[in-house]
Amino acid sequence: MHFIGIDIGSTAAKVVVMGEAERRFVLPTGWSGPETARTIRQRLAADGIQPEASYVISTGYGRKAVDFACKQVTEITCHALGS
């Protein structure tokens, strides 16, 4: 089982994977949140990580574009829970 956090901001998308395999990567967001989400899904699949078999939370400006997220949370909520 993997736990994946995805933050799609206005200029960059940050991804952290924890669990059996651990990964971190940053991608430029570009002009399309859904396109960025597809790129993230492809990158995870290339690393052998299946988002469908993971618990995924998305946050940031493009959080709603991550159609494979189990939960979408605002950045302020993430900061509050983190502190």
Side-chain angles (χ1 to χ4, degrees):
M1 176 91 175
H2 293 100
F3 299 92
I4 304 171
I6 300 172
D7 175 12
I8 298 183
S10 61
T11 60
K14 288 77 66 183
V15 180
V16 175
V17 179
M18 298 177 72
E20 298 167 11
E22 297 196 0
R23 304 278 190 279
R24 293 183 180 110
F25 58 91
V26 178
L27 302 169
T29 300
W31 61 272
S32 171
E35 181 64 32
T36 301
R38 279 191 293 278
T39 301
I40 290 169
R41 178 182 261 173
Q42 291 168 352
R43 173 84 182 264
L44 291 169
D47 287 345
I49 299 167
Q50 297 177 336
E52 298 79 15
S54 305
Y55 189 75
V56 181
I57 292 183
S58 63
T59 189
Y61 180 75
R63 69 184 174 276
K64 296 191 187 263
V66 184
D67 60 355
F68 54 93
C70 300
K71 189 172 184 180
Q72 299 165 343
V73 183
T74 65
E75 283 183 89
I76 193 73
T77 301
C78 289
H79 289 295
L81 293 172
S83 61

